[in-house]
Amino acid sequence: MHLDEYMRYDATGLAELVRRGEVTPAELLALARQRMAEVNPALNAVVIETAPEADAQVAGELSGPFAGVPFLLKDLSQEYKGYPTTGGCKALKDDVATENALVTDRFLDAGLVVVGKTATPELGSKGVTESTLWGPTRNPWDTSRTPGGSSGGSAAAVAAGIVPVAGANDGGGSIRIPAACNGLVGLKPSRGLTPYGPQTGESGFGIAVEGVVARSVRDSAGLLDAIAGPHRYADYLTAPPAERFTDAITARPGTLRIGYSTHSAITESPEPEAVAAVEYTAGLLRDLGHEVVEVAPPYDDKALAETFLTIWFARLGGDVAQIKDRTGAGDSDFEADTVAMVEFGRANGTEALIRALDGVVGYTHAMERFYESFDFFLTPTLACTPVRIGALETPKPLRIGARVAHRVRAGRLLLASGLIEQMIADNLGWVPYTQLANLTGRPAISVPVYWTDDGLPLGVQFNGSLGSDGALLRLAAQLEEAAPWIQRFPARPTPTRG
């Protein structure tokens, strides 16, 4: 098999070739490494290689639905025994895992061959993948732009053809944002469907879930089949789906009623390309026989953003405190933006956190009332095309000020300064649509049906009711058939300065 042929297949297709004996796992591993050597210097997507373990895997007996297919883990919450899980954080660069994450075990049980681990922003706290530890990760469609975050390394690697699918997780859009930036399928599963731990409990009060980014819908469905299901460390029992996700996508949906909106109170108006992506998708859906209606957003996304960040800052503060206790790290081992977010969380206090957590039920109820009249809610995934590398970097004076404020516990002054409002505008303004699914625990999927005239992918997002993961994948499969995207590949990326 030649490299160009390898890149044309999705994971399901490669696994079938292995089963038929037309290619060996060792040959696929060699091709993945060849492609990684070609493009990773320009992308900085893969930051840790796992060569001895990968070689041992292909030398042994592999079984499972994806036996022999090369795969990458995200270097955050997907621990791999014997390797550090850095989360893009200097404090964790030597934090070697003593056991696999449960989701890692399920990936391995599916027969996937782990080639390495992919870049993430520090502790997954940004929508761009630019950490001090590893440096910026770049988008293969345009290396001057971000691949999104926090699963940006995984998405860049898949889009560039290193592997056909890669591990990801989503606490505020971290699967869907990179999928939209890179022309991939990104499903954020329903809360409780995929495993967490055993290193920690449910992440971020349940807002973060495990999954993948993939080039094809059938890979998204197949990998969800591989990792979904109850586990003994769970805090509660989640009912398994009525049918396998790979079976769900073999049928086509009946006539659906879909409400759509491009409005956001965080950003005054999304870019015309983001609006065009949704309008194109709405037209495609109508051509497929669905009823598509423009609606007012069923929730206040500016208030939701404040709720989300209150919870996120508190969660991050707890994570940083735990890392300090376990490793002996100090404030200097964390980025200034992380320190600022921790200080915001401390200054907000427990009362604000409890109010935010209690307030989530209002968004959940609002969306469920919406789903009484509509099957899905369609929005842009991004409010603009992928931002330039460094565009969201905090100016140096503010970074210095944030460290000083944290040292003297002056978070209330930071809150009064309006900096948190600026952070919302800067960091969530280009991705105001994704946090809803995390707070409410509902599934959402980004699909790459639209490309700009400049050749940049710009995904659109469908939100669904609790447990509608299979129905979302079924609709995505119909769109994939109507507007195929799997054979789209970026030109070979070249190193970019800046």
Side-chain angles (χ1 to χ4, degrees), residues 198-234:
Q199 289 83 358
T200 64
E202 199 173 33
S203 179
F205 306 99
I207 66 175
V209 295
E210 299 295 327
V212 299
V213 286
R215 290 176 52 222
S216 71
V217 175
R218 67 177 185 173
D219 280 0
S220 294
L223 265 296
L224 188 56
D225 278 329
I227 66 174
H231 59 96
R232 64 191 181 97
Y233 295 105

Side-chain angles (χ1 to χ4, degrees), residues 1 9 66-67 118 123 149 162 171 198 235 253 388 391 394 412 468 492:
M1 176 181 279
Y9 283 93
F66 293 96
T118 60
L123 303 179
I162 297 174
D235 297 312
R388 301 281 179 180
T394 303
R412 293 196 177 277
S468 65
R492 180 173 177 174

Side-chain angles (χ1 to χ4, degrees), residues 297-311:
Y299 65 101
D300 180 343
D301 68 327
K302 187 172 184 180
L304 182 141
E306 293 174 356
T307 297
F308 173 80
L309 287 179
T310 298
I311 295 170

Side-chain angles (χ1 to χ4, degrees), residues 74 76 119-121 124-129 148-153 169 173-175 178:
K74 181 178 178 179
L76 177 69
T120 177
S125 292
K126 293 182 179 179
V128 295
T129 302
S150 64
S151 306
N169 36 53
S174 291
I175 288 175

Side-chain angles (χ1 to χ4, degrees), residues 121-484:
E122 184 166 82
L123 303 179
S125 292
K126 293 182 179 179
V128 295
T129 302
E130 301 172 25
S131 71
T132 301
L133 177 63
W134 298 117
T137 299
R138 298 181 180 275
N139 191 318
W141 295 92
D142 178 350
T143 54
S144 73
R145 297 177 184 265
T146 184
S150 64
S151 306
S154 289
V158 173
I162 297 174
V163 292
V165 65
N169 36 53
D170 194 316
S174 291
I175 288 175
R176 291 157 288 152
I177 294 167
C181 288
N182 291 275
L184 305 176
V185 181
L187 173 71
K188 179 255 169 205
S190 291
R191 183 175 298 167
L193 189 59
T194 55
Y196 51 85
Q199 289 83 358
T200 64
E202 199 173 33
S203 179
F205 306 99
I207 66 175
V209 295
E210 299 295 327
V212 299
V213 286
R215 290 176 52 222
S216 71
V217 175
R218 67 177 185 173
D219 280 0
S220 294
L223 265 296
L224 188 56
D225 278 329
I227 66 174
H231 59 96
R232 64 191 181 97
Y233 295 105
D235 297 312
Y236 45 82
L237 180 64
T238 302
E243 63 177 340
R244 286 170 50 83
F245 298 107
T246 46
D247 295 332
I249 64 172
T250 59
R252 289 296 172 258
T255 300
L256 299 173
R257 192 161 192 262
I258 298 169
Y260 78 93
S261 175
T262 60
H263 174 79
S264 168
I266 299 175
T267 180
E268 290 186 4
S269 60
E271 281 187 1
E273 290 283 15
V275 175
V278 170
E279 290 178 344
Y280 170 81
T281 305
L284 183 58
L285 290 165
R286 292 188 184 104
D287 291 343
L288 292 169
H290 303 300
E291 180 183 358
V292 186
V293 181
E294 187 170 10
V295 298
Y299 65 101
D300 180 343
D301 68 327
K302 187 172 184 180
L304 182 141
E306 293 174 356
T307 297
F308 173 80
L309 287 179
T310 298
I311 295 170
W312 189 270
F313 293 160
R315 179 207 67 84
L316 187 63
D319 287 349
V320 168
Q322 186 271 335
I323 291 168
K324 287 180 176 180
D325 289 344
R326 184 162 53 84
T327 67
D331 286 344
S332 63
D333 294 307
F334 299 89
E335 295 175 11
D337 286 358
T338 300
V339 170
M341 286 185 270
V342 170
E343 183 58 20
F344 280 137
R346 189 200 64 78
N348 272 330
T350 304
E351 182 178 332
L353 172 61
I354 297 302
R355 285 182 176 179
L357 290 168
D358 286 345
V360 168
V361 68
Y363 301 111
T364 302
H365 289 182
M367 291 310 299
E368 286 305 315
R369 287 192 293 270
F370 176 83
Y371 295 130
E372 292 172 3
S373 301
F374 295 93
D375 294 290
F376 300 120
F377 180 45
L378 166 65
T379 71
T381 309
L382 315 173
C384 62
T385 52
V387 298
R388 301 281 179 180
I389 297 291
L392 301 182
E393 184 177 0
T394 303
K396 186 175 181 179
L398 289 180
R399 296 200 304 270
I400 294 171
R403 289 195 182 279
V404 173
H406 180 62
R407 188 162 57 247
V408 300
R409 295 296 189 263
R412 293 196 177 277
L413 292 178
L414 286 178
L415 291 172
S417 72
L419 184 57
I420 190 168
E421 288 80 6
Q422 189 61 46
M423 289 182 69
I424 291 174
D426 290 346
N427 291 288
L428 297 186
W430 77 290
V431 289
Y433 307 103
T434 56
Q435 297 80 39
L436 171 69
N438 298 92
L439 285 182
T440 62
R442 271 58 188 161
I445 192 169
S446 182
V447 289
V449 297
Y450 184 82
W451 263 257
T452 71
D453 290 341
D454 294 334
L456 290 174
L458 194 58
V460 297
Q461 175 184 237
F462 292 89
N463 288 269
S465 59
L466 189 66
S468 65
D469 308 67
L472 283 170
L473 287 164
R474 186 180 297 120
L475 175 60
Q478 186 183 39
L479 289 170
E480 183 181 39
E481 185 178 280

